[in-house]
Amino acid sequence: MIRLERPEDEAEISQVIEAAFGYRDVARFAEQIRASPAFIPELAFVAEEAGEIIGHTMLSWVELEGQDVKVLILTPMSVRPDRQRQGVGVALVEAALAAADELGESLVIVEGIPAYYPRFGFRSASALGLERPDPRTPDAAWMVYPLSGYDPALRGRVVYPSFFPPPPARA
Ligand SMILES: CC(C)(COP(=O)(O)OP(=O)(O)OC[C@H]1O[C@@H](n2cnc3c(N)ncnc32)[C@H](O)[C@@H]1OP(=O)(O)O)[C@@H](O)C(=O)NCCC(=O)NCCS
């Protein structure tokens, strides 16, 4: 079952993120997003099974440099190791994209596994005129999902909140 995360889920979500990545930094990153103005409670999801959280993802705000424009980024994305490769990640991403579309948003950025995200319709963000915040991010990992509200005039350099870690610690 995919549902919105709730404040009381925070500790369990952090455990799932830490288990998925194998270290604590990404869990702390998610906590920082949640505590920041970039957090969007309507776009933060958990996968729950038998009362346990087995996966998590969230969409939060990033900006286009020099413009009064906010777009979405999908980060982090985590499925508990014992439940990976069973469709949980697909269900989470699809729920997040559908909810963002419903809200009339324009696009969703991801810095992610190049072999994973194209299945949803993510494609090269550079090709659509969206520049990486940091050139150390591999271009193949720099992807975007245009939503129904996408406008090709949305171009420029994406900038992250200052607490975002440098690549490759982001995920
Ligand atoms: C990456 C991750 C979120 C995928 O979630 P998941 O629930 O395991 O993935 P799903 O079962 O929904 O995967 C669906 C498909 O993607 C494939 N897939 C899963 N993980 C993949 C990976 N790391 N690389 C390439 N393909 C992958 C699956 O094989 C499956 O393919 P199929 O439909 O052809 O069988 C999860 O494995 C994870 O938490 N990994 C560790 C944390 C991480 O790296 N997160 C960052 C993602 S940018």
Side-chain angles (χ1 to χ4, degrees), residues 24-46:
R24 163 104 188 110
D25 307 37
V26 185
R28 193 165 55 237
F29 173 47
E31 290 161 12
Q32 286 177 301
I33 292 176
R34 200 175 284 120
S36 81
F39 180 55
I40 309 168
E42 301 80 17
L43 295 177
F45 296 91
V46 295

Side-chain angles (χ1 to χ4, degrees), residues 76-87:
M77 166 76 192
S78 317
V79 175
R80 214 170 67 185
D82 62 311
R83 297 307 315 272
Q84 289 178 6
R85 304 215 174 220
Q86 295 162 42

Side-chain angles (χ1 to χ4, degrees), residues 20-21 77-79 84-90 113 116-117 119:
F21 284 88
M77 166 76 192
S78 317
V79 175
Q84 289 178 6
R85 304 215 174 220
Q86 295 162 42
V88 177
V90 166
I113 301 165
Y116 186 64
Y117 288 94
R119 75 189 63 235

Side-chain angles (χ1 to χ4, degrees), residues 37-98:
F39 180 55
I40 309 168
E42 301 80 17
L43 295 177
F45 296 91
V46 295
E48 186 185 277
E49 186 186 68
E52 285 185 13
I53 292 174
I54 57 168
H56 173 263
T57 199
M58 67 211 300
L59 304 181
S60 60
W61 296 122
V62 293
E63 294 179 6
L64 290 183
E65 189 174 46
Q67 306 175 44
D68 191 16
V69 174
K70 290 197 285 190
V71 295
L72 297 167
I73 190 164
L74 187 152
T75 189
M77 166 76 192
S78 317
V79 175
R80 214 170 67 185
D82 62 311
R83 297 307 315 272
Q84 289 178 6
R85 304 215 174 220
Q86 295 162 42
V88 177
V90 166
L92 277 165
V93 174
E94 286 180 347
L97 294 175

